[in-house]
Amino acid sequence: MIADVELGVLYFLAISSLSVYGIVLAGWSSNSKYAFLGALRSTAQMISYEVSIGLILLATLLPVGSLNLTYIVFFQEDLWLIFSQWVLFLLFFVSSLAETNRAPFDLPEAEAELVSGYNVEYSSMGFALFFLAEYANIIAMSVIITIVFLGGWLTIFSIPFSIIFIAKILFILILFIWVRTTFPRFRYDQLMRLGWKVFLPLSLFFFFVSLVLVSFSFFV
Amino acid sequence: MINLFFLESFCKIYIFHFFFFSLLNLFTFIKNFLYNTELLFQSSFLLVNQLIKLIELEEKILFFFFKFFKVLVLSLYFVLIYLLKLLIYCNFYMILLILPLLISVAYLTLVERKVIGASQRRFGPNVVGLFGIGQPLADGLKLFFKETILPTHSNKFIFFFSPIIVFLCFIKLVCYTFKIRVCDC
C-alpha cells in the first residue's frame, strides 16, 4: 500500500540525516587516512547544510501550513511556490548541492587531496552500493525540489501528469549536472563559511519574513 | 507499508558474492600453508612438493572452469533468486517503485557523462550499444564481477555493513519521494 504520511517533509529530513551514520562508519572502519578524512568532511558538510535545508523548508512551507507532500502540491494550484519564494528556491538548490556532495561542493571526493573520499577502500559491490546511494540521493533531492517549489505534477497545456512530473525532475537533474560541468571546486573554509555565515542567517531571515507575511495573510 | 524483499535479496547477493570469492581464495591459502610446512619440515620435501603440484593443478583446473563459467553460474544464481523471490512475495508496488529507481539511477550516470561530454565538445560514452545505451549496464556488470576486498586493518563487520546501511537509507528516501500519488494520478 502507498502511505501518505502527514509529516512527510520531516520524514524526508530524518531519513536523509540517517545516512550520515553509514558514511561515518564506512570511513572509520576502513582504517585509512584518506577514507577517514573524507568521511569527516562529508559528515561535517552534510550536517551543517541539513540545518539550512530544514530552515529553508520551514520558511517555504509556512504559507502552506502542512508538511504533507500531497497537500503541498495541491496548495500550488494557483501559483507555484518558486514564483513567490524564488530566493528560497536558489538557497535550497545550492544547499542541496552541498548536501548531496556534488560539485562545486564535492570536497569529500576531492581527487587531488583525498583519493576518492570515504569509499577508497571499497571495491566491487560495496562501491556499487555507495555509488547507487549517491545518485539516489540526487534523485530524491530533485524530486523534493520539484514537489515543494515546482508544483509537483500540476500541469500546463494539459500535458499528462506523469510526463510533466518526470520532465520537471529531469530538468532539475540536468541543472545539477550543468552546475558540475561549469563551476570549479570550493575551498573547505569557504564551504563552511557559506554554510554557517551566509545560508543559516539568510534562511532564518526569510523564515521570519514569511512568518510576518503569513501573519498578515499575504499569501492567501 | 513497503515489503523490503527486493532490498533483502540485494543484500543477500552481496553477502553471497563475498563468500563466493573467499572460497576461491581458499586454494591459495592452502598453497601458502603448505609452503610454510615445507620450510618447517624439509625432510618431507618431496611429498610436500608433490602435494603442491597437485593443488596447483587443481587450482588451474578450477581457474579454467571459473574463467568460462563464472559469468554463467553467477547470473544463474542471480536470476534464480530473483525469480523465486518474485514468485513467493510478488509485491506489485515494490517492483513498481524500486526497479525503475535502480534503472533510473544507472541511466542518470549515462546522462551525466553525456551532458558533461557535450559541454566539453566531445562525444560521451558511445561504444557500448547504440549511443552508449549499454554503458551503465556494462559498468554495473563490471562492478558486480569484481572481487570484494576486505582490507586487513579494517574493522570487517562494520566495513561490510556500512554500504548496506547507506544504500537502504537512500533507497527508502527515494521510494518515499516518488510514491506520492504516482499510481493514483
Side-chain angles (χ1 to χ4, degrees):
Chain A
M1 291 299 291
I2 286 175
D4 195 9
V5 185
E6 201 60 40
L7 295 170
V9 175
L10 199 69
Y11 180 86
F12 170 79
L13 286 173
I15 298 287
S16 72
S17 60
L18 203 66
S19 63
V20 174
Y21 284 108
I23 287 168
V24 166
L25 288 176
W28 176 77
S29 67
S30 54
N31 248 336
S32 156
K33 283 174 207 164
Y34 298 119
F36 187 60
L37 282 173
L40 278 184
R41 277 188 178 191
S42 72
T43 319
Q45 187 173 325
M46 283 171 94
I47 287 173
S48 53
Y49 277 89
E50 248 158 38
V51 178
S52 62
I53 274 189
L55 279 170
I56 290 162
L57 276 176
L58 268 182
T60 40
L61 299 179
L62 264 178
V64 180
S66 170
L67 294 180
N68 189 337
L69 294 180
T70 318
Y71 190 83
I72 291 165
V73 172
F74 283 131
F75 180 83
Q76 302 172 52
E77 273 182 333
D78 303 323
L79 188 70
W80 295 355
L81 276 174
I82 189 175
F83 296 119
S84 55
Q85 314 263 43
W86 60 273
V87 185
L88 286 168
F89 169 73
L90 289 178
L91 285 180
F92 190 86
F93 183 69
V94 175
S95 47
S96 69
L97 279 177
E99 170 77 16
T100 53
N101 298 335
R102 289 286 292 180
F105 306 110
D106 59 342
L107 285 146
E109 282 142 29
E111 309 94 49
E113 309 146 33
L114 308 169
V115 197
S116 166
Y118 53 87
N119 52 11
V120 220
E121 303 286 338
Y122 284 89
S123 53
S124 65
M125 279 305 278
F127 178 75
L129 290 183
F130 273 123
F131 196 71
L132 285 175
E134 206 174 295
Y135 278 87
N137 193 16
I138 294 164
I139 292 176
M141 272 294 169
S142 61
V143 175
I144 277 289
I145 288 174
T146 311
I147 285 164
V148 172
F149 289 101
L150 298 180
W153 56 83
L154 298 176
T155 54
I156 28 172
F157 312 125
S158 66
I159 308 165
F161 292 111
S162 51
I163 289 172
I164 196 118
F165 190 47
I166 286 159
K168 282 169 183 174
I169 292 165
L170 273 178
F171 171 71
I172 297 289
L173 281 175
I174 284 172
L175 219 63
F176 266 81
I177 298 164
W178 194 3
V179 166
R180 184 188 159 169
T181 59
T182 45
F183 289 107
R185 189 176 292 136
F186 269 55
R187 222 167 50 217
Y188 201 72
D189 59 323
Q190 288 172 338
L191 170 82
M192 281 296 152
R193 191 178 300 131
L194 191 74
W196 289 106
K197 290 191 175 173
V198 181
F199 276 22
L200 187 63
L202 266 180
S203 52
L204 269 172
F205 171 73
F206 280 107
F207 176 71
F208 285 114
V209 165
S210 54
L211 199 68
V212 170
L213 288 178
V214 165
S215 62
F216 288 112
S217 64
F218 179 80
F219 289 105
V220 183
Chain B
M1 292 301 187
I2 294 173
N3 194 335
L4 287 173
F5 84 90
F6 210 86
L7 304 178
E8 206 179 86
S9 61
F10 211 86
C11 297
K12 268 184 188 167
I13 280 165
Y14 180 49
I15 290 160
F16 159 75
H17 182 258
F18 165 62
F19 282 116
F20 187 79
F21 283 108
S22 66
L23 260 176
L24 271 179
N25 288 333
L26 198 70
F27 282 97
T28 52
F29 173 74
I30 292 166
K31 212 175 89 181
N32 289 337
F33 182 73
L34 283 173
Y35 270 123
N36 289 333
T37 50
E38 182 195 339
L39 287 172
L40 283 168
F41 309 107
Q42 285 200 351
S43 57
S44 60
F45 177 70
L46 272 171
L47 205 146
V48 170
N49 210 12
Q50 276 179 346
L51 261 173
I52 289 163
K53 271 181 186 171
L54 209 144
I55 282 161
E56 271 178 350
L57 202 132
E58 214 172 326
E59 199 188 353
K60 267 176 193 168
I61 292 163
L62 245 173
F63 183 67
F64 180 78
F65 177 79
F66 278 117
K67 199 177 179 185
F68 291 99
F69 297 100
K70 197 168 75 176
V71 179
L72 204 143
V73 168
L74 270 175
S75 59
L76 259 178
Y77 181 84
F78 195 88
V79 168
L80 264 175
I81 285 286
Y82 269 78
L83 278 179
L84 274 174
K85 290 271 182 181
L86 285 179
L87 281 173
I88 292 166
Y89 349 77
C90 191
N91 194 332
F92 183 66
Y93 287 115
M94 204 58 208
I95 300 158
L96 220 141
L97 290 171
I98 285 192
L99 207 64
L101 168 75
L102 286 176
I103 294 163
S104 68
V105 164
Y107 276 90
L108 177 60
T109 60
L110 179 68
V111 168
E112 182 173 21
R113 288 170 72 181
K114 278 280 180 188
V115 170
I116 289 171
S119 78
Q120 293 165 358
R121 292 218 173 171
R122 57 185 170 82
F123 304 115
N126 61 348
V127 177
V128 189
L130 256 171
F131 308 112
I133 272 175
Q135 187 68 43
L137 289 175
D139 286 341
L141 271 178
K142 184 216 110 187
L143 275 176
F144 185 75
F145 289 119
K146 284 257 172 177
E147 185 190 353
T148 305
I149 297 164
L150 287 178
T152 42
H153 291 292
S154 65
N155 190 331
K156 296 201 174 46
F157 182 77
I158 301 171
F159 187 85
F160 188 74
F161 281 102
S162 49
I164 295 173
I165 295 168
V166 176
F167 181 73
L168 287 185
C169 283
F170 282 126
I171 290 300
K172 225 178 163 192
L173 223 169
V174 178
C175 280
Y176 176 65
T177 50
F178 257 116
K179 82 194 171 184
I180 315 138
R181 297 277 178 274
V182 174
C183 308
D184 297 4
C185 281

